[in-house]
Amino acid sequence: MAFQRSHRLNLLRLVVLLLVALAGIKFLFRDSFTLELHKHVSKDSGFWGDTGDTILDAGPQSQVVKIPVAKITAPRQEPGQQVPKDASATEMRLVHLDLKGAAPRVSYLEQVFPLLSQLGANGILIEYEDMFPFKGELEILKSPYAYSEEDIERIQQLAEFHKLEVVPLVQTFGHVEFILKHEKYQHLREVERFPNSFNPHVPDTLALLKSVLSQVIEKHRRSTWIHIGADEVFHLGEGMDSKNWMSHNRGDTGTMYLKHIKEVLSFIAAQYRGLRALMWDDMLRKISVGALRESGIAKHVSPVVWFYAPDFEAEQIGPFLAKYAESGFEAVWFASAFKGTTGPAQTWPPLSYHLKNHLSWLKVMQALPRLAPLRFQGIVLTGWQRYDHYSVLCELLPVGIPSLAICLQTLVNGEPPPMLLAPDQPSWPGSSPTSLTQRPCPAGREGCWEGGGKQGKGELQLPQFQGTPDSGVAWAPLPLSLSSPGGFTEETKRKVLDALGFQSMQLEQSTCEGRGAFPGAEIYHMVEQVNGHLKESILKALEEESAIKGWFSPYHRKHQFGNPRNMESFGSKVLKLHEDWESFVRDLRTHLERVYFPDTVEEWMEENINPYLDQLRDLVRDYRAIIRLNARPKVT
């Protein structure tokens, strides 16, 4: 009896020891178990399943889950190995880095990322275009100054350290000039003459996109989101293949567009489970609710509704939001602009313009619950660097940082002006959400929306609500004032000034006073000098100096003659002006080279310095040559 009791006691001790050991193992490896569980519970396997299927869709996050580097960089072994992260309900504020022009060196991003985080950003949208280190068959796509694979990894490490989610953007339909400009891929153009958009009917198009997407996604294994672009697919439907397809399938450009987007999303969902997709919304605005619902894309992509005008009302955006909700979308993003939308050759961002754009978006955010049953996931603060692959550079990033700071802090701290509608008024008038109309484009801008569209950086024509016959609502415009209660407050302004190291700012004049203590502040001030004084001072010397007009005209210079007595009356002034600007430009070049690669420095100088300084250089060259001739007869 004693033996049996002892035997049972020993068995009980053994069971307790086993339980303790199992608990310890579970505690030590709890993160790995959680990640593996997330891998296997994804419901995305039936991508185009029944509309009643539920989708595992966690909200956006504010911080990056730290995963061992080995797991980040290891090649994908099987489809579906993308690891979804535990995402909080924090609304995302992504700063757009448009790298198709003036891509900064990584050393500059290392300085900028802490500031972005301090100002309230929690993510970056990186539009690599030809700055990505494509390899193999795709190597032809990369710029001579493209980032290396080590650079891509470093960018993500910096972002993770500063709690910035990295969202890569890969254009998958329109704005693919950087691909279709190459002879190797010209056969994939929708219209043979134009490199803007893919022909969706050529099998090689999807095969190429799969390769491009795979290379980018494989280098961004930390990322929760992928942006597939898909905006402004100019000339879609004009190619012969598209015309034949529409004729044989009784389709239109909308269904053709959705067919291609569906194929792209299907690939992403099948190969990278848990990776969520974003897309610009402008092409969706023209497609019917029925076509959108039938496509099923709403289950696997969120629209990013963009609009960059300074003053607009929530009710102008409402019809689009209601349409997307009716089409099956559950979440929505917005897109504002802090630079790059006020002119293709704009070099200085208008501060009040961009501030008003963000105040307008704040009104939309406030109104969203009554406009449409959609979950707001985040906003992208776009900072376009080129209107397209072939356009000139617009505002440089260091020049745009004060505008970015104002806009970010307005979103973080600001409140929108009072709402237009009283609480008992209807949510929005009965107006067709597809009332977006295309208007004639400016010369040379075929296929664009009025004013050029998003990367044409003009404005889409939104519905104008002055009351409708069936709404019974009289709409009164509410002017947006920078001093409106709850707008860009003095407290928010002070935070911006402190973060940037300025003493004051003048919003309407788009100027900031003080030395500045942000990365690239020297470039900011020097570009300000170029904008305000270079052209003016040189043109004044050449066109308003009476001695030059009288004794050193283009005729004198062409025939190489002049009187030194008269020439010396203006010579010292001209030589001093030339010396000062040349010294200034040398310093500017030095600062630009610390931030940018040589091709960007040369392009910016060619576009913004040389057209004016070269005139002064030519004048000084001719002055020195002719004055040495000691008043000889003119050359005939």
Side-chain angles (χ1 to χ4, degrees):
M1 203 67 177
F3 171 79
Q4 290 179 347
R5 188 182 300 108
S6 175
H7 182 63
R8 290 174 182 172
L9 186 59
N10 288 334
L11 285 175
L12 183 59
R13 288 172 178 169
L14 181 60
V15 169
V16 171
L17 285 173
L18 286 172
L19 290 173
V20 171
L22 286 172
I25 292 171
K26 183 176 180 181
F27 176 81
L28 290 173
F29 294 97
R30 65 192 185 281
D31 290 338
S32 298
F33 289 162
T34 302
L35 289 174
E36 288 300 314
L37 177 61
H38 278 304
K39 291 180 185 179
H40 295 293
V41 299
S42 174
K43 297 181 181 179
D44 287 334
S45 55
F47 179 59
W48 298 114
D50 297 335
T51 56
D53 291 347
T54 56
I55 304 298
L56 184 65
D57 185 15
Q61 72 257 343
S62 59
Q63 67 181 54
V64 179
V65 176
K66 294 185 178 179
I67 306 174
V69 173
K71 290 188 179 181
I72 295 167
T73 58
R76 178 174 49 82
Q77 299 298 319
E78 297 291 341
Q81 294 299 303
Q82 188 78 14
V83 180
K85 292 177 238 176
D86 294 330
S88 74
T90 301
E91 295 167 355
M92 300 300 294
R93 291 181 291 272
L94 305 183
V95 173
H96 175 222
L97 298 178
D98 180 17
L99 304 185
K100 62 176 169 284
R105 296 179 184 272
V106 176
S107 57
Y108 182 68
L109 296 179
E110 188 171 357
Q111 302 172 57
V112 169
F113 282 6
L115 178 62
L116 299 185
S117 183
Q118 176 189 352
L119 291 171
N122 53 16
I124 49 175
L125 176 68
I126 306 183
E127 186 165 355
Y128 286 108
E129 207 181 72
D130 60 0
M131 285 301 293
F132 187 81
F134 293 107
K135 57 186 179 181
E137 288 292 317
L138 303 180
E139 189 170 0
I140 190 176
L141 302 181
K142 70 179 186 179
S143 161
Y145 297 99
Y147 295 141
S148 67
E149 293 186 7
E150 292 74 20
D151 289 335
I152 301 297
E153 176 61 22
R154 178 60 177 158
I155 289 171
Q156 292 178 91
Q157 289 175 350
L158 290 169
E160 184 174 22
F161 182 78
H162 295 291
K163 296 182 172 58
L164 298 171
E165 170 80 10
V166 175
V167 180
L169 187 154
V170 178
Q171 284 286 3
T172 56
F173 212 160
H175 288 297
V176 286
E177 297 94 339
F178 82 103
I179 297 175
L180 298 183
K181 70 180 182 181
H182 296 285
E183 184 178 0
K184 179 178 180 180
Y185 298 117
Q186 284 186 6
H187 68 289
L188 302 181
R189 296 178 178 184
E190 168 69 357
V191 176
E192 194 278 332
R193 292 181 56 232
F194 306 132
N196 303 77
S197 307
F198 277 125
N199 177 345
H201 311 288
V202 180
D204 287 350
T205 292
L206 188 60
L208 172 63
L209 281 174
K210 288 180 179 179
S211 297
V212 171
L213 285 164
S214 294
Q215 289 199 19
V216 173
I217 294 172
E218 290 295 341
K219 292 300 178 183
H220 293 81
R221 300 305 297 227
R222 298 169 173 85
S223 295
T224 301
W225 304 89
I226 178 76
H227 197 308
I228 64 169
D231 59 309
E232 294 182 333
V233 187
F234 297 145
H235 309 291
L236 180 62
E238 296 178 17
M240 189 55 64
D241 288 344
S242 290
K243 290 178 181 178
N244 290 336
W245 185 90
M246 288 188 289
S247 175
H248 295 153
N249 294 276
R250 296 182 179 179
D252 55 23
T253 54
T255 55
M256 188 165 55
Y257 173 85
L258 291 174
K259 177 178 179 294
H260 178 74
I261 296 301
K262 179 177 177 177
E263 290 173 338
V264 171
L265 293 173
S266 178
F267 167 73
I268 294 172
Q271 296 296 313
Y272 303 98
R273 296 177 185 172
L275 183 63
R276 288 168 281 167
L278 306 174
M279 66 182 292
W280 302 120
D281 84 305
D282 53 290
M283 296 296 291
L284 303 180
R285 300 180 192 185
K286 298 175 282 186
I287 301 175
S288 69
V289 170
L292 286 170
R293 290 189 68 87
E294 184 178 353
S295 73
I297 69 168
K299 295 172 59 179
H300 295 278
V301 69
S302 296
V304 184
V305 182
W306 58 266
F307 195 58
Y308 305 144
D311 299 295
F312 60 91
E313 298 299 336
E315 284 64 35
Q316 291 175 270
I317 304 296
F320 301 125
L321 301 179
K323 172 183 177 176
Y324 297 150
E326 187 180 354
S327 300
F329 293 99
E330 297 180 356
V332 67
W333 290 61
F334 300 142
S336 57
F338 71 91
K339 76 178 189 74
T341 61
T342 55
Q346 184 81 11
T347 57
W348 196 258
L351 297 182
S352 64
Y353 183 101
H354 295 294
L355 170 58
K356 290 177 181 179
N357 174 250
H358 286 78
L359 290 173
S360 293
W361 274 118
L362 279 172
K363 293 191 293 184
V364 177
M365 294 175 200
Q366 185 187 61
L368 180 60
R370 64 179 177 79
L371 293 174
L374 290 168
R375 184 174 73 257
F376 173 63
Q377 289 187 317
I379 185 169
V380 178
L381 293 87
T382 63
W384 301 101
Q385 193 57 72
R386 294 190 196 275
Y387 276 22
D388 64 34
H389 186 77
Y390 287 90
S391 71
V392 299
L393 297 170
C394 39
E395 303 103 311
L396 297 175
L397 181 57
V399 175
I401 282 181
S403 177
L404 174 60
I406 290 168
C407 297
L408 265 174
Q409 278 292 291
T410 296
L411 294 177
V412 172
N413 299 305
E415 293 292 336
M419 291 305 300
L420 179 64
L421 293 178
D424 57 344
Q425 287 181 308
S427 60
W428 51 275
S431 179
S432 168
T434 57
S435 58
L436 183 67
T437 57
Q438 196 166 15
R439 293 195 175 182
C441 302
R445 293 302 312 279
E446 297 180 19
C448 67
W449 294 101
E450 179 187 28
K454 179 178 66 61
Q455 288 193 253
K457 307 305 176 291
E459 310 305 342
L460 288 177
Q461 185 68 23
L462 292 183
Q464 300 298 313
F465 299 114
Q466 299 298 328
T468 57
D470 57 343
S471 68
V473 179
W475 296 88
L478 177 67
L480 180 61
S481 168
L482 296 181
S483 60
S484 295
F488 184 63
T489 64
E490 285 299 319
E491 180 183 359
T492 303
K493 180 178 178 180
R494 175 48 53 192
K495 290 179 180 178
V496 170
L497 292 173
D498 290 344
L500 300 182
F502 286 132
Q503 277 72 55
S504 62
M505 65 173 60
Q506 305 299 322
L507 292 174
E508 294 300 333
Q509 288 73 39
S510 299
T511 57
C512 298
E513 291 74 37
R515 293 191 60 181
F518 60 91
E522 301 89 352
I523 293 175
Y524 173 88
H525 285 300
M526 298 184 90
V527 171
E528 185 177 28
Q529 289 295 311
V530 170
N531 279 351
H533 303 292
L534 175 64
K535 179 179 178 180
E536 178 185 354
S537 65
I538 291 175
L539 292 182
K540 182 177 180 180
L542 297 180
E543 299 177 4
E544 298 180 16
E545 180 64 49
S546 60
I548 293 178
K549 295 176 69 175
W551 285 277
F552 203 61
S553 70
Y555 183 81
H556 289 88
R557 294 167 62 185
K558 179 180 178 180
H559 294 281
Q560 300 177 31
F561 77 107
N563 186 339
R565 178 181 179 276
N566 304 113
M567 293 173 61
E568 288 173 356
S569 68
F570 62 81
S572 59
K573 184 188 299 184
V574 168
L575 293 175
K576 179 65 163 59
L577 180 67
H578 173 253
E579 179 185 344
D580 289 346
W581 276 118
E582 290 288 11
S583 175
F584 174 89
V585 168
R586 283 193 296 272
D587 290 343
L588 173 59
R589 178 181 288 274
T590 298
H591 287 294
L592 287 173
E593 288 174 344
R594 292 171 183 164
V595 174
Y596 294 110
F597 297 102
D599 60 334
T600 296
V601 177
E602 290 306 318
E603 180 180 354
W604 200 88
M605 291 290 190
E606 287 284 347
E607 292 290 343
N608 298 283
I609 300 291
N610 293 352
Y612 311 109
L613 190 54
D614 279 352
Q615 297 180 55
L616 184 59
R617 288 165 174 161
D618 291 344
L619 180 73
V620 169
R621 179 200 62 208
D622 292 346
Y623 174 88
R624 287 171 172 164
I626 293 172
I627 205 168
R628 285 196 300 267
L629 297 177
N630 197 23
R632 292 181 184 179
K634 69 180 178 182
V635 176
T636 57

